[in-house]
Amino acid sequence: MAKVAELLGMSPMTVYRAIAAGEFPAVRIRGRLIVPAKAIEAIADLAIAEQTVVDASGWVPMQHGSAG
């Protein structure tokens, strides 16, 4: 998570909090949170293409099994 935080210019705790709040995409593998490089690339590509700020929470899929 430290590499993601450094890349985005924020603290690792901020990244963890965003993931926990469902505001940033991540994958849990054997208890470890992984931010896919493709997710960061896609968000950056969209921001560049549209020349705007992209809200990462729009990239987080709906939670499976949650009561809707």
Side-chain angles (χ1 to χ4, degrees):
M1 204 57 58
K3 289 182 182 181
V4 172
E6 182 180 342
L7 177 67
L8 299 175
M10 57 182 55
S11 75
M13 186 54 66
T14 300
V15 177
Y16 280 115
R17 286 183 186 132
I19 291 168
E23 298 171 345
F24 199 80
V27 176
R28 185 175 301 277
I29 300 174
R30 301 189 88 174
R32 185 173 178 195
L33 287 171
I34 307 294
V35 175
K38 283 187 173 188
I40 293 177
E41 290 171 7
I43 292 168
D45 288 346
L46 181 61
I48 291 168
E50 294 187 1
Q51 297 182 356
T52 188
V53 174
V54 175
D55 187 349
S57 65
W59 289 80
V60 180
M62 297 287 288
Q63 300 264 338
H64 293 290
S66 63

